[in-house]
């Protein structure tokens, strides 16, 4: 009897139009509907394709840290005992950004366009709002790095793969950096994936196939061991805007907040979703390790800075999904730390 009541609850939850939690019946492009995306997004973000940011000749700048220092400057930077991906990149010629709305810089001023605040744009060439990173970005280190942004709001990992396969990628003579942020929509687009472990496992299996295909495509095109050309992949996991509580303050009602505050989303359902997110992130970590990629802990970045944080400590916007400018900056800091072993 209890099981049937739970099933009826889930059926009612699926039928309620809060944040378009289930897939569109007509097969149209999905709006993001969970921890990673919101139902109020546009169909997609503009694609940015920079032929080359900066005018340097194009070699690594070893002049040292930015004069401004930073609150965590040099964390984990012990070259005698630890190596980082940057150590294997002699001359980055291309930066490819792949993923969903978080990757697309949604809700960040300027998104990923020139002068934008999306974390991908900040990795490429920073923004004057963050002077500590003036010398700690790809353009400062390597000069004229080409930028290929193939992110799109609402993308699942399968849609990201499709976009990558239909994108014209430039030929380059050098190393390639790839940032990949997907999985939120694989997990959140269907309530059954969030709440039934078997569906969570199936979504993780699909993501593994899609990630493997993307990594193989790019390694086959760009990795040339005889020439010393490397491809490095930085891949994020999925953040939780509730900080592990499954709940957000009642005053938030936009996007995924509406889902989280729906009375049909019971404490039991909330805990189940959190447990399945933990499982999904564990699978993501295993997938990334198996592909020789580098895990960027997006979940950790926002865990104490979600919707239950106050004032400037909250780094997610009012839709319970997308990072603010500060959130994108903080995610950039984490990406840069994974790449170089340093934060500023």
């Amino acid at each position: 009897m209890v099981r049937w009541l739970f099933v009826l609850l889930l059926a009612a939850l699926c039928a309620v139009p809060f944040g378009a939690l289930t897939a569109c019946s007509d097969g149209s492009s999905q709006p993001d509907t969970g921890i990673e995306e919101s139902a109020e997004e546009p169909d997609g973000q503009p694609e940015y394709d920079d032929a080359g940011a900066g005018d340097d000749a194009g070699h690594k700048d070893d002049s040292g840290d930015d004069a401004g220092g930073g609150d965590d400057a040099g964390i984990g930077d012990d070259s005698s005992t630890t190596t980082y991906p940057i150590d294997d990149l002699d001359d980055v010629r291309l930066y490819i950004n792949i993923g969903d709305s978080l990757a697309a810089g949604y809700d960040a001023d300027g998104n990923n366009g020139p002068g934008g605040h999306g974390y991908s744009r900040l990795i490429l060439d920073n923004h004057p709002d963050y002077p500590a990173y003036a010398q700690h970005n790809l353009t400062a280190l390597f000069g004229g790095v080409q930028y290929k942004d193939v992110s799109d709001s609402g993308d699942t990992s399968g849609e990201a793969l499709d976009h990558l396969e239909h994108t014209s990628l430039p030929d380059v003579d050098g190393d390639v950096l790839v940032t990949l942020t997907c999985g939120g929509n694989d997990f959140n687009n269907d309530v059954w994936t969030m709440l039934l472990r078997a569906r969570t496992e199936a979504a993780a299996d699909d993501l593994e196939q899609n990630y493997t295909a993307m990594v193989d495509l790019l390694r086959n095109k760009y990795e040339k061991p005889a020439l010393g050309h490397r491809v490095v992949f930085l891949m994020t996991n999925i953040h939780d805007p509730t900080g592990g509580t499954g709940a957000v303050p009642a005053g938030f009602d936009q996007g995924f907040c509406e889902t989280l505050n729906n009375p049909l989303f019971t404490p039991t359902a909330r805990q189940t979703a959190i447990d399945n997110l933990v499982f999904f992130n564990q699978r993501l970590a295993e997938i990334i390790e198996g592909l020789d990629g580098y895990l960027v802990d997006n979940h950790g970045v926002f865990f104490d800075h979600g919707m239950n944080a106050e004032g400037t400590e909250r780094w997610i916007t009012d839709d319970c999904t997308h990072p603010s400018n500060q959130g994108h900056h903080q995610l950039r800091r984490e990406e840069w730390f994974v790449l170089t072993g340093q934060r500023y």
Side-chain angles (χ1 to χ4, degrees):
M1 182 65 177
V2 172
R3 176 177 176 83
W4 280 109
L5 286 174
F6 186 60
V7 170
L8 288 172
L9 169 66
L10 293 181
L13 192 61
C14 290
V16 175
F18 49 80
L21 189 58
T22 55
C24 298
S25 60
D26 62 359
S28 61
S29 178
Q30 304 289 330
D32 284 333
T33 56
I35 293 171
E36 197 62 30
E37 305 294 338
S38 129
E40 299 179 12
E41 297 171 353
D43 291 336
Q45 297 292 337
E47 178 177 312
Y48 298 104
D49 187 359
D50 293 2
D55 55 5
D56 196 337
H59 293 284
K60 191 183 299 185
D61 179 3
D62 295 320
S63 59
D65 296 346
D66 181 74
D71 54 342
D72 295 311
I75 289 179
D77 185 18
D78 183 357
S79 59
S80 64
T81 59
T82 306
T83 59
Y84 291 89
I86 196 72
D87 299 321
D88 295 322
L89 298 176
D90 296 322
D91 190 18
V92 175
R93 296 291 85 212
L94 175 64
Y95 171 30
I96 303 173
N97 179 52
I98 304 169
D100 53 27
S101 62
L102 197 153
Y106 186 84
D107 266 359
D109 291 345
N111 307 129
N112 289 337
H117 284 73
Y119 79 81
S120 174
R121 174 57 68 166
L122 298 178
I123 290 171
L124 177 67
D125 55 16
N126 195 41
H127 187 279
D129 285 353
Y130 313 108
Y133 280 84
Q135 298 302 318
H136 304 287
N137 57 79
L138 294 179
T139 300
L141 292 184
F142 298 103
V145 178
Q146 292 190 63
Y147 179 49
K148 194 71 175 179
D149 183 15
V150 292
S151 60
D152 196 13
S153 289
D155 268 7
T156 62
S157 62
E159 290 165 331
L161 170 60
D162 183 66
H163 287 152
L164 182 63
E165 290 175 335
H166 291 88
T167 294
S168 177
L169 297 170
D171 294 322
V172 295
D173 183 20
D175 300 318
V176 176
L177 176 68
V178 180
T179 51
L180 178 54
T181 297
C182 274
N185 296 315
D186 298 65
F187 179 76
N188 297 316
N189 271 359
D190 186 343
V191 67
W192 300 102
T193 302
M194 296 171 64
L195 297 177
L196 299 179
R197 178 58 60 89
R199 295 286 288 270
T200 308
E201 292 173 352
D205 290 342
D206 289 343
L207 182 141
E208 181 172 17
Q209 293 181 10
N210 296 326
Y211 269 33
T212 299
M214 285 188 270
V215 168
D216 287 349
L217 185 158
L218 293 174
R219 283 209 171 112
N220 289 337
K221 180 173 179 61
Y222 291 115
E223 198 145 83
K224 302 172 183 176
L227 299 176
H229 296 173
R230 289 283 313 277
V231 183
V232 166
F233 293 85
L234 305 182
M235 306 175 177
T236 64
N237 56 16
I238 304 169
H239 67 285
D240 172 5
T242 76
T245 68
V248 300
F252 294 106
D253 58 6
Q254 299 179 29
F256 190 48
C257 299
E258 189 177 2
T259 300
L260 294 172
N261 279 321
N262 190 284
L264 293 177
F265 205 45
T266 66
T268 298
R270 295 172 195 274
Q271 188 58 53
T272 299
I274 290 172
D275 291 344
N276 284 335
L277 176 60
V278 170
F279 171 83
F280 196 81
N281 274 337
Q282 289 171 341
R283 280 292 311 276
L284 255 175
E286 294 167 0
I287 292 166
I288 292 167
E289 181 179 14
L291 293 171
D292 292 325
Y294 295 87
L295 173 64
V296 177
D297 189 12
N298 180 39
H299 185 273
V301 168
F302 291 101
F303 192 80
D304 291 324
H305 299 280
M307 304 310 295
N308 293 299
E310 297 183 355
T312 58
E313 289 302 304
R314 177 161 66 89
W315 300 341
I316 296 176
T317 59
D318 288 354
D319 64 4
C320 291
T321 300
H322 298 99
S324 61
N325 283 355
Q326 182 63 219
H328 278 278
H329 169 54
Q330 295 297 335
L331 182 53
R332 176 268 297 273
R333 293 180 74 236
E334 188 67 17
E335 297 261 5
W336 198 253
F337 174 71
V338 172
L339 180 65
T340 69
Q342 296 185 355
R343 293 189 184 94
Y344 302 94

